Amino acid sequence: MSDRLRVLGIEGTAWAASAAVYDTEAGDASGRRTRSADAETDSVCIETDPYRPDSGGIDPSEAAEHMAKAVPEVVEAALDHADGPIDAVAFSRGPGLGPCLRTVGTAARALAQSLDVPLVGVNHMVAHLEVGRHRSGFESPVCLNASGANAHVLGFHDGRYRVLGETMDTGVGNAIDKFTRHLGWSHPGGPKVEKRAKGGDLVDLPYVVKGMDFSFSGIMSAAKQAVDGRESHGDARAHQNSKSSEDDGEAVEDVCFSLQENVFAMLTEVAERALSLTGSDELVLGGGVGQNDRLREMLAAMCEQRGADCYAPEPRFLRDNAGMIAVLGATMYEAGDTIDVDDSRGARRRSSISATSG
Amino acid sequence: MTKRRVPKAYRHPDLDDRLRRDRTVLEARLTSAARRQGVPTPVVRDVDVPEGTLVLRTVGDADLQAALSAERARDVGRHLAAIHEAGFVHGDPTTRNVRVDGERTYLIDFGLGYYTDDAEDFAMDLHVFERSVEGTADDPDPLREAFEAAYADRGDDAVLGRLRSVEGRGRYQ
């Protein structure tokens, strides 16, 4: 990058009302562990206010209300950290929940207009991938994206991503949530499974890899049956604390442990196969489930065994965040890929298309 | 050549043992079963299940990945139709698991295969192959057409129909 840039990013596709300022030349310590020349000297300041449902999962209209209230606040907080004028406003254009996308799109347009700067519409999924590639400095990596609604492995080559393998049913986080909801645990289930898995023993669960694709529905059904025991049709919540011999189900600790062992080994196996197919020796992890220590450990062990480099971004860049929107927004701004602010109907139309395709 | 399934350090040792044993047994069984259907595959000389090793005859001069052509894609389509007709799938028919020489196109590495009669499973085989072609070829369309035409010649049309629905399920196309 030649000129210093400050880009404000706004994220709000689902639960995270987030704003960030990406400064290409702030030179603070945030990027020091990475190899990229850009990431050595830049800085990303992120402000996030998460939507927390009272019970169950995300309610799209409640989430949109949260965005309407929280986005102006996080934007203001992020702008307070900027030590100079903003050059562009980047926002998460989709895919995501329709009501959230409309709210955030409107906020971004209004802000770009009032600051009189260009507006950049960023694809949320590409941002998840790009932030890791940017911070790793890798040229042609394989990217494993493991998030709530997604699970796929991609190759990056000649300036474009290609999907090499992906889940044939649900995203990895949502799959785990199906199991934890069965136990009466609140969303998100992944961190709770990770905690309960400690000290568990391996029980037999399905392991489903088809080439570089994979599926989770069979293993989640088996996991539910394993905690219930075969004959049990009773209240699943009763099993929450059961390591007793009262029923014939497996201990919750053991099922959590085995779930992690199987699901993350499946993801690691397809990532390894993708490295082998593409001939790449660089792996980048992305997505919120990438915060799981066991998954990170497996990927690191796999890469070490085959002599590949593995890069896992810090957790703040893995879960939904505006930092990744600002970083990709800066690249797109430099490439001239901006949206005409006055054409607000056009921008709105794009948002709703993204909403239906997400 | 001796093929050994190397233990994977990232996997739980018990899970790793289970997968290596299962895959070694299946590979031996299905490699021979495919040859009985007229599909060129390596001859299996020896199997050691506890060690996870197979002794196989080396086949081909190169991976299909390095010698991709419409004619080779047609061969793969024909071979997959033959094993599907016999009631099993390859499980991982990527361009790296096809070997070629001057005369023949071989399928190798049946370790992820299994017996099935479900059109969905057959469609997944086709999907995996097309995905790997797209991942390596700059112009995959003619290769995919040749592959599907050859499969349609011998295979079940319902499988190609199911392939379209499998593709539709992917999120990023």
Side-chain angles (χ1 to χ4, degrees):
Chain A
M1 288 185 196
S2 43
D3 297 328
R4 179 173 185 169
L5 263 186
R6 289 184 199 86
V7 176
L8 178 91
I10 306 176
E11 155 64 27
T13 54
W15 59 269
S18 180
V21 173
Y22 170 50
D23 189 332
T24 57
E25 273 179 39
D28 77 357
S30 69
R32 196 159 285 166
R33 283 185 305 153
T34 65
R35 304 186 345 181
S36 154
D38 287 338
E40 290 277 335
T41 54
D42 65 11
S43 92
V44 187
C45 165
I46 306 173
E47 293 284 341
T48 299
D49 181 356
Y51 155 66
R52 291 193 179 85
D54 292 335
S55 66
I58 295 170
D59 178 323
S61 61
E62 267 183 29
E65 275 171 40
H66 174 77
M67 295 303 159
K69 187 175 107 351
V71 164
E73 292 167 10
V74 292
V75 165
E76 199 172 326
L79 283 174
D80 280 347
H81 291 283
D83 58 357
I86 298 295
D87 297 291
V89 172
F91 73 107
S92 207
R93 182 165 112 174
L97 302 172
C100 296
L101 296 178
R102 282 188 288 277
T103 305
V104 170
T106 304
R109 277 196 303 278
L111 186 65
Q113 256 166 340
S114 72
L115 296 175
D116 195 22
V117 295
L119 183 65
V120 184
V122 171
N123 179 294
H124 176 87
M125 292 314 305
V126 178
H128 266 304
L129 297 166
E130 277 289 283
V131 72
R133 204 175 61 82
H134 168 78
R135 297 185 77 77
S136 69
F138 292 165
E139 285 296 318
S140 306
V142 162
C143 302
L144 175 68
N145 192 60
S147 66
N150 290 281
H152 45 234
V153 58
L154 304 97
F156 184 82
H157 192 59
D158 292 338
R160 57 185 288 226
Y161 289 96
R162 297 170 204 241
V163 176
L164 299 172
E166 66 187 317
T167 174
M168 296 317 289
D169 39 45
T170 63
V172 59
N174 291 358
I176 293 172
D177 283 340
K178 279 182 187 164
F179 169 70
T180 54
R181 209 175 302 138
H182 183 72
L183 297 175
W185 299 357
S186 62
H187 169 93
K192 298 174 183 81
V193 167
E194 183 171 15
K195 214 168 149 205
R196 287 297 284 273
K198 291 200 167 66
D201 290 320
L202 195 71
V203 295
D204 244 14
L205 290 175
Y207 183 99
V208 185
V209 170
K210 296 176 178 180
M212 279 188 285
D213 293 321
F214 40 93
S215 75
F216 299 122
S217 54
I219 182 170
M220 293 309 150
S221 303
K224 289 183 210 166
Q225 281 163 13
V227 289
D228 287 353
R230 244 175 235 163
E231 267 77 47
S232 172
H233 298 288
D235 180 11
R237 283 158 209 259
H239 296 284
Q240 197 167 340
N241 302 311
S242 71
K243 203 169 178 171
S244 68
S245 54
E246 297 289 316
D247 56 63
D248 58 356
E250 303 280 358
V252 170
E253 286 76 6
D254 293 348
V255 178
C256 287
F257 176 79
S258 309
L259 205 56
Q260 290 211 128
E261 289 302 311
N262 281 42
V263 166
F264 297 149
M266 285 160 54
L267 294 176
T268 306
E269 180 176 345
V270 296
E272 178 165 35
R273 198 160 290 142
L275 287 169
S276 161
L277 182 77
T278 58
S280 170
D281 58 2
E282 299 166 335
L283 179 73
V284 173
L285 176 61
V289 180
Q291 296 172 89
N292 185 291
D293 282 336
R294 183 60 181 132
L295 175 59
R296 295 165 81 103
E297 184 181 79
M298 282 196 202
L299 292 170
M302 179 273 284
C303 286
E304 196 189 321
Q305 197 170 13
R306 60 182 291 120
D309 287 327
C310 181
Y311 181 78
E314 307 134 73
R316 71 187 186 121
F317 287 114
L318 286 169
R319 49 184 176 255
D320 284 358
N321 69 89
M324 65 185 193
I325 304 299
V327 168
L328 178 52
T331 308
M332 291 174 67
Y333 170 76
E334 293 205 314
D337 190 355
T338 60
I339 295 174
D340 186 355
V341 180
D342 293 329
D343 182 17
S344 61
R345 278 184 62 198
R348 181 170 303 170
R349 194 154 55 235
R350 272 189 288 268
S351 296
S352 33
I353 289 167
S354 302
T356 52
S357 69
Chain B
M1 65 168 269
T2 301
K3 172 174 174 176
R4 176 154 190 265
R5 291 203 140 73
V6 183
K8 298 292 184 187
Y10 64 83
R11 247 179 336 226
H12 188 285
D14 296 350
L15 176 61
D16 195 55
D17 277 352
R18 183 186 114 200
L19 293 171
R20 286 193 304 130
R21 278 165 170 271
D22 290 355
R23 290 174 182 182
T24 301
V25 169
L26 273 167
E27 178 165 7
R29 201 172 285 162
L30 297 180
T31 301
S32 302
R35 194 156 3 81
R36 285 196 295 275
Q37 299 304 316
V39 175
T41 67
V43 173
V44 181
R45 298 202 189 282
D46 194 23
V47 190
D48 186 335
V49 175
E51 282 297 309
T53 56
L54 290 171
V55 181
L56 301 155
R57 216 186 67 194
T58 307
V59 292
D61 308 324
D63 288 351
L64 179 60
Q65 190 183 34
L68 211 46
S69 68
E71 198 180 326
R72 298 294 189 182
R74 248 191 303 277
D75 288 345
V76 177
R78 220 177 40 240
H79 294 342
L80 289 180
I83 65 168
H84 292 176
E85 200 172 76
F88 63 95
V89 293
H90 181 282
D92 190 24
T94 64
T95 52
R96 292 284 300 268
N97 285 333
V98 179
R99 296 277 296 170
V100 297
D101 60 22
E103 297 162 46
R104 299 166 112 183
T105 306
Y106 303 84
L107 297 189
I108 63 163
D109 199 358
F110 282 79
L112 295 182
Y114 52 93
Y115 284 95
T116 175
D117 57 6
D118 190 342
E120 170 86 13
D121 296 327
F122 298 144
M124 274 306 293
D125 253 5
L126 308 190
H127 181 62
V128 168
F129 180 72
E130 293 192 353
R131 193 42 100 44
S132 80
V133 168
E134 285 156 21
T136 47
D138 288 326
D139 185 17
D141 288 346
L143 301 172
R144 198 166 42 217
E145 282 161 23
F147 168 70
E148 290 190 13
Y151 189 88
D153 253 9
R154 178 162 179 185
D156 186 349
D157 285 344
V159 174
L160 287 164
R162 185 64 79 95
L163 173 61
R164 298 284 95 84
S165 92
V166 167
E167 287 165 350
R169 240 173 281 156
R171 287 158 184 242
Y172 297 93
Q173 292 147 25

